[in-house]
Amino acid sequence: MKKNKGFDSSIEKLARTTASKTGRRGFIGKLGAFLAGSALLPLLPVDRRGRMNEAHAETKGTLGREGWKPQDKDPKSCDYWRHCSIDGNLCDCCGGTLTSCPPGSELSPSSWVASCFNPGDGQTYLIAYRDCCGKQTCGRCNCMNVQGELPVYRPEFNNDIVWCFGADNDAMTYHCTVSPIVGKAS
């Protein structure tokens, strides 16, 4: 019994000391700040490039791994220089071109951007990838390149989002992606 009484009295003493040194509002404010900070912790940036490179090491044409060299000859290939950050089907293989959607699909008003190096002229260009929407997925020339991709909370630099939002309601289905040049990157 004495052990429990000693434990109880020490806890009571600790509680009274804490109560005399801190106010309820201060304690509640600190507790709230701690809980809010804990909830925001998962939103901090995390460098996942190493894991991404390992996961796609076997994928032909995937950027972000050592030794990949962009080419400027075949726009229907995943290693074509404009496709440095594309994630999807190339419209070149689906009846469209590098800059235009195939017939029956609609260009999304939204885009994600990347800076891609052109080995032909040694310049870096800003590419605004835009999805073509409104038809079933093409399924040909599917590329998954991750150069410069950032987490989803930076959507303008993320290629994992289907960018058909903003298109007509009946055009929300992803078909393929175009890669128009916006201009030279500085």
Side-chain angles (χ1 to χ4, degrees):
M1 250 354 221
K2 283 189 175 184
K3 287 183 181 178
N4 285 343
K5 193 171 188 181
F7 178 73
D8 288 343
S9 64
S10 60
I11 293 296
E12 181 183 355
K13 184 178 179 180
L14 178 65
R16 288 183 186 277
T17 305
T18 304
S20 69
K21 292 183 179 179
T22 60
R24 285 178 289 190
R25 290 183 183 164
F27 173 76
I28 290 173
K30 288 177 184 173
L31 179 65
F34 173 76
L35 292 175
S38 301
L40 295 175
L41 190 63
L43 298 178
L44 292 174
V46 177
D47 187 2
R48 295 186 174 96
R49 288 177 290 191
R51 192 171 64 185
M52 183 66 83
N53 291 342
E54 291 170 14
H56 299 290
E58 299 301 318
T59 306
K60 182 180 180 197
T62 298
L63 285 176
R65 66 175 199 243
E66 296 290 325
W68 189 86
K69 301 246 190 280
Q71 52 88 15
D72 64 344
K73 306 289 186 244
D74 182 13
K76 292 183 180 181
S77 174
C78 289
D79 64 353
Y80 185 66
W81 72 271
R82 280 197 200 185
H83 307 319
C84 73
S85 188
I86 200 165
D87 182 2
N89 305 312
L90 305 178
C91 283
D92 293 24
C93 301
C94 302
T97 66
L98 277 171
T99 58
S100 65
C101 293
S105 63
E106 175 185 325
L107 191 62
S108 168
S110 310
S111 67
W112 73 96
V113 296
S115 296
C116 299
F117 177 74
N118 181 351
D121 64 6
Q123 299 289 320
T124 301
Y125 294 88
L126 185 65
I127 308 295
Y129 298 101
R130 294 177 74 184
D131 289 341
C132 295
C133 313
K135 292 173 70 175
Q136 289 298 319
T137 300
C138 169
R140 292 189 296 259
C141 298
N142 189 6
C143 300
M144 185 2 198
N145 294 335
V146 295
Q147 180 181 341
E149 179 185 19
L150 292 177
V152 177
Y153 58 83
R154 292 289 307 272
E156 69 274 18
F157 300 113
N158 186 279
N159 64 10
D160 291 331
I161 298 172
V162 174
W163 288 89
C164 287
F165 57 83
D168 289 339
N169 287 337
D170 37 332
M172 290 295 293
T173 308
Y174 170 78
H175 183 64
C176 62
T177 304
V178 295
S179 311
I181 296 174
V182 175
K184 285 187 180 180
S186 51

